[in-house]
Amino acid sequence: MNAATAAWLGHGAGVAALAAMLAAGALAARVPGGDLRLGGLARIWKVHHLLGAFSFLLVMAHPLLLAQASGAAYATLFPPLEARAVWAGWLAWAAMTAFLAPTFHFFGKPDYRRWKSLHALSGIAALLALAHAVPLSRATAARALWLAGGAAAMAALAYRKFVAPSRRLRYAVREVRLGGRGVVELTLKPEGEALKYRSGQFLYLTPPDGEEHPFSISSAPDEENLRLMIKDLGDATHALQTIEKGTAVAVEGPYGAFLPGGETGRAELWIAGGVGLAPFLGAARALQGRSDVVLIYCVQDRTRAHFIAELETIAQAKGMRLKLHEFARAGALTRAYLREACPDAAGREVFVCGPPPLIDAARKALKALGARRIQAEDFTWL
């Protein structure tokens, strides 16, 4: 690679890296309801993560390419102390490495609290990157664009840090209901303004320890109280299994665009796995009349089928067809099973929620049957 090409690629990598970083920052605002315009928070977070990874890789390439272009690698990689803008770039690189590198699977699954603490460096990294790019930009228009992008990213981070906490709604735990092995359903009573939401959405719950976590809403939108299905998956969710009645909590949301909300009159197929049942449970509770809905609930065996008695009651009263697929007895979810359980699956709108292996199996089987309208959520991005 000649010097001119290396210089062009090096500068291009730097520009693209900062643009991706600022765009990722702007997407982090997480304003309730605002996510719907962009396809839901699940999609936004996926784009946010991709932008972060893309930016990180480009930042790694940026100085190496410039060092090759200059022909003086040492001077490029170790600039004099008075080159403040260049050193700001190196500090931005260090901050990005600190908070982004642990999120790559190469390092294993990150600890949630440590990952969240490290993410506080994102704002510092963005400011340092701007302190690097703005002084080194020759065109006035380029500097203006960087400042505008920086302002948008900083506004999003400021909203999330200072404004969002004050806008959370106050609730109190009214009931803790055992829903199955390692699963509870919390019933929350509003202590003022109540959350307005639609079936299939989720929220962030902040218990007294101050550590927010996302959970799908399992109540119907017209219920007085709010219900959340929570599985014991870690320290925070384990503590919620035995949270005391009357405990004050805060909620923020709603988010998501998984289900269309309300009864559409169209034939639908719901496929749930484990606590992926939560959005469908809320939607089932919201059904008003006889509905053309088929729910295939996938579990290891019947003992792990959360709220199965209530689902059977709803199915009998409202015409919802309920199929319990037990992996221990029937094996993996297959095309043959779906054809038998729901012969007209190809013509229905299909919604799948559960762990990634179930979603992958369901997609493969559904596409083999000719289904094309498939919406899936695994919520692992949360």
Side-chain angles (χ1 to χ4, degrees):
M1 184 186 302
N2 60 44
T5 301
W8 185 85
L9 290 174
H11 288 297
V15 169
L18 181 53
M21 182 193 299
L22 296 179
L27 289 176
R30 208 181 80 197
V31 180
D35 62 307
L36 297 179
R37 298 179 182 179
L38 298 174
L41 194 58
R43 180 173 297 176
I44 290 175
W45 272 159
K46 287 174 183 176
V47 173
H48 171 85
H49 294 160
L50 287 173
L51 286 172
F54 180 66
S55 177
F56 178 68
L57 295 174
L58 289 173
V59 163
M60 299 294 286
H62 172 60
L64 297 178
L65 288 166
L66 293 182
Q68 181 175 346
S70 69
Y74 183 86
T76 302
L77 299 177
F78 302 97
L81 293 177
E82 59 269 21
R84 296 179 181 177
V86 179
W87 279 109
W90 278 115
L91 291 173
W93 172 87
M96 284 192 70
T97 302
F99 81 84
L100 276 178
T103 66
F104 285 82
H105 291 297
F106 175 82
F107 295 96
K109 187 176 181 180
D111 176 81
Y112 180 79
R113 292 188 181 222
R114 184 168 61 250
W115 168 85
K116 192 169 182 181
S117 298
L118 287 173
H119 247 57
L121 292 172
S122 60
I124 296 173
L127 288 173
L128 288 168
L130 287 169
H132 170 71
V134 173
L136 296 178
S137 297
R138 297 177 181 177
T140 302
R143 290 195 292 271
L145 285 173
W146 287 138
L147 290 174
M154 290 303 112
L157 293 174
Y159 172 85
R160 178 89 331 256
K161 182 70 175 178
F162 303 109
V163 179
S166 67
R167 301 186 64 179
R168 292 170 180 159
L169 301 179
R170 305 299 169 186
Y171 278 76
V173 177
R174 182 172 183 177
E175 183 182 359
V176 182
R177 177 187 175 193
L178 183 64
R181 189 180 305 178
V183 173
V184 296
E185 185 177 55
L186 300 187
T187 298
L188 309 178
K189 180 180 180 181
E191 297 286 291
E193 181 183 353
L195 186 74
K196 295 179 175 61
Y197 59 93
R198 71 188 195 193
S199 297
Q201 292 192 291
F202 66 94
L203 55 75
Y204 279 80
L205 173 72
T206 305
D209 67 1
E211 192 70 42
E212 65 173 15
H213 287 273
F215 299 106
S216 289
I217 302 171
S218 58
S219 51
D222 60 354
E223 291 185 35
E224 177 184 358
N225 296 316
L226 192 62
R227 292 194 268 184
L228 307 174
M229 185 185 293
I230 299 173
K231 185 175 182 179
D232 187 351
L233 293 173
D235 293 343
T237 50
H238 179 73
L240 290 172
Q241 303 290 306
T242 56
I243 192 170
E244 295 183 1
K245 295 179 182 179
T247 300
V249 297
V251 304
E252 182 182 348
Y255 299 104
F258 177 49
L259 296 175
E263 295 188 62
T264 63
R266 297 188 293 268
E268 296 180 2
L269 169 60
W270 302 344
I271 301 177
V275 288
L277 174 69
F280 299 126
L281 180 58
R285 286 167 169 167
L287 293 175
Q288 298 299 318
R290 308 296 290 182
S291 302
D292 191 4
V293 173
V294 177
L295 169 59
I296 298 177
Y297 186 16
C298 303
V299 294
Q300 184 65 22
D301 55 61
R302 188 180 175 88
T303 64
R304 302 192 187 189
H306 315 306
F307 305 101
I308 187 63
E310 181 181 356
L311 286 170
E312 290 172 339
T313 299
I314 292 173
Q316 184 175 11
K318 300 181 179 180
M320 179 183 75
R321 284 183 279 164
L322 174 64
K323 306 288 183 178
L324 188 65
H325 179 81
E326 300 178 53
F327 294 119
R329 182 174 58 84
L333 193 68
T334 63
R335 171 185 177 182
Y337 176 84
L338 288 178
R339 185 191 294 114
E340 179 182 350
C342 186
D344 60 344
R348 291 176 175 265
E349 288 196 59
V350 185
F351 302 90
V352 189
C353 187
L358 171 66
I359 291 177
D360 292 342
R363 280 188 184 276
K364 182 178 179 181
L366 288 163
K367 288 180 179 179
L369 291 174
R372 292 294 177 265
R373 294 176 295 174
I374 305 171
Q375 176 73 21
E377 288 289 4
D378 62 29
F379 294 100
T380 55
W381 51 269
L382 297 168

